[in-house]
Amino acid sequence: MGDPVFFIPAASPTLAEIAALTGATLTAGADPGRRITGVASLDSAGSNDLTFIDSPRYLPLLATTRAAACLVPAKHLGAVPAGVAALESARPHDAYVSVLRLLFPGAMRPQPLFGRGIAAGAHVHAEARLEEGVTVEPGAVIGAGAEIGRGTVVAPGAVVGPHVRIGRDCHIGAGSTVTHALLGNRVILHPGVRIGQDGFGYQMGGKGHQKVPQVGRVVIQDDVEIGANTAIDRGANRDTVIGEGTKIDNLVQIGHNVAIGRHCVIVSQVGISGSATLGDFVVLGGQVGVNGHVTIGHGAQVAATASVKDDLAAGGRYGGAPARPIKEWYREELAIRRLAQRASARQKEDEGKEVS
């Protein structure tokens, strides 16, 4: 359930309202007027909470839940204990998320710490241009020629460099830095994000490494969200681009000239080397490494810890190092395991013969 100190419910919907919102069916005997004031897991839910189940592995927890109501697929309706209202749903977790969004809209994005407007202690250059309704919190710095749209919040300690352009209803997290960048609308940067610093470019030689000027930008399109302490380098000779709707986790490194498509999902500790290209709806699991100059096609999915050294076709599922079709990778892993088991068995057999 939400901690009442940090997350106060914005609504208390009835079961009938939840059914209408989610498309769930309230089963016979339930009170449609009963109000829900919180959400929680099966094992921690209380008498005013909504919970859900979408996997049979949690049936033991369902049997003992004390929730007011449970979103449940048809195949598990019979397992809902007496006294718990059942809301039948084909997609219980999706329905649960809809209720979460209704109850806790404030948890959808970071909130200002010091209220709205330009706070005392904020530093806004006289040549910066801010639309009405921009919030700049204490310790934040806005450089000359920067442009920021209404509804955007620049959190404490954040730095927006000269001539950066930020759209409307964005959030620039505490301690973040944004330079050499253009941001669209509704972009969320979590604390410590670094946007637009030098790409890693050097001309290597026997007498030392000569720095190559990085003269591109970072372009971040609408509705992108970037997790804490992620770094996105500006382009060397063209832009680094993050496509609309893409979601990037914490601690991700994206090199110069990378082009990421729309609605991609990039999980924590991924590293993408310079000039790599990702199509739309690509998914990269945690700790995936992507070599420079490779292309990952539309809708491809890459399993955690994989290493991508060659182009990957659209729509495929890949894993391993180097990354290859995931069924092929599974077969190879199984074959190696079987070889190891056979070798171990032979070793034990040989050791037995030596003892005898």
Side-chain angles (χ1 to χ4, degrees):
M1 61 184 295
D3 188 318
V5 173
F6 299 115
F7 300 107
I8 300 171
S12 56
T14 64
L15 293 181
E17 290 169 340
I18 290 173
L21 172 69
T22 63
T25 300
L26 187 61
T27 57
D31 177 7
R34 186 170 186 178
R35 292 198 174 273
I36 296 297
T37 59
V39 290
S41 60
L42 286 162
D43 55 341
S44 63
S47 59
N48 295 311
D49 291 331
L50 175 73
T51 191
F52 77 99
I53 182 170
D54 61 358
S55 170
R57 67 185 295 183
Y58 299 115
L59 285 172
L61 295 178
L62 175 61
T64 59
T65 190
R66 295 180 293 172
C70 182
L71 289 154
V72 58
K75 62 183 177 181
H76 299 321
L77 277 173
V80 178
V84 177
L87 288 149
E88 181 186 340
S89 172
R91 302 177 66 88
H93 186 260
D94 290 357
Y96 179 79
V97 170
S98 296
V99 179
L100 267 176
R101 293 167 65 97
L102 174 67
L103 265 62
F104 301 108
M108 296 283 289
R109 55 180 289 143
Q111 301 298 309
L113 301 181
F114 292 88
R116 301 287 175 177
I118 311 300
H123 301 273
V124 180
H125 196 282
E127 295 178 9
R129 289 182 287 180
L130 279 58
E131 286 189 330
E132 185 177 353
V134 171
T135 293
V136 185
E137 301 203 88
V141 177
I142 312 296
E147 299 180 12
I148 303 177
R150 68 170 179 261
T152 289
V153 175
V154 183
V159 175
V160 176
H163 307 292
V164 165
R165 297 174 202 166
I166 299 174
R168 294 172 174 170
D169 298 314
C170 297
H171 186 95
I172 310 303
S176 295
T177 54
V178 184
T179 65
H180 309 91
L182 311 178
L183 277 62
N185 299 320
R186 299 175 300 280
V187 172
I188 296 175
L189 307 183
H190 288 276
V193 166
R194 309 297 176 199
I195 303 294
Q197 61 283 333
D198 279 8
F200 192 68
Y202 297 88
Q203 182 66 36
M204 294 184 287
K207 295 183 179 181
H209 310 311
Q210 301 299 312
K211 187 176 182 68
V212 178
Q214 306 289 291
V215 296
R217 309 172 299 181
V218 177
V219 177
I220 299 176
Q221 296 177 0
D222 294 350
D223 299 305
V224 169
E225 185 163 355
I226 300 174
N229 297 316
T230 282
I232 302 178
D233 296 342
R234 70 176 182 264
N237 52 13
R238 59 184 176 86
D239 294 336
T240 301
V241 178
I242 313 298
E244 67 172 305
T246 285
K247 312 302 181 187
I248 300 174
D249 199 357
N250 305 330
L251 297 168
V252 170
Q253 161 65 23
I254 297 174
H256 59 200
N257 296 358
V258 167
I260 294 176
R262 300 175 303 120
H263 305 293
C264 294
V265 174
I266 300 174
V267 184
S268 62
Q269 299 184 6
V270 163
I272 304 177
S273 299
S275 299
T277 299
L278 277 62
D280 298 343
F281 293 96
V282 167
V283 177
L284 302 182
Q287 298 185 327
V288 165
V290 179
N291 280 15
H293 302 276
V294 304
T295 296
I296 301 177
H298 175 101
Q301 299 182 14
V302 184
T305 72
S307 175
V308 181
K309 74 177 189 66
D310 300 305
D311 293 351
L312 300 180
R317 300 180 65 206
Y318 304 90
R324 49 208 184 272
I326 203 159
K327 290 184 179 179
E328 178 183 324
W329 176 47
Y330 285 160
R331 285 195 299 268
E332 292 174 2
E333 291 294 311
L334 182 58
I336 291 170
R337 186 181 308 168
R338 286 171 175 167
L339 286 171
Q341 290 171 344
R342 290 171 187 167
S344 178
R346 284 196 298 269
Q347 182 179 359
K348 289 180 181 178
E349 183 179 341
D350 293 342
E351 289 173 352
K353 290 177 180 178
E354 290 175 3
V355 170
S356 61

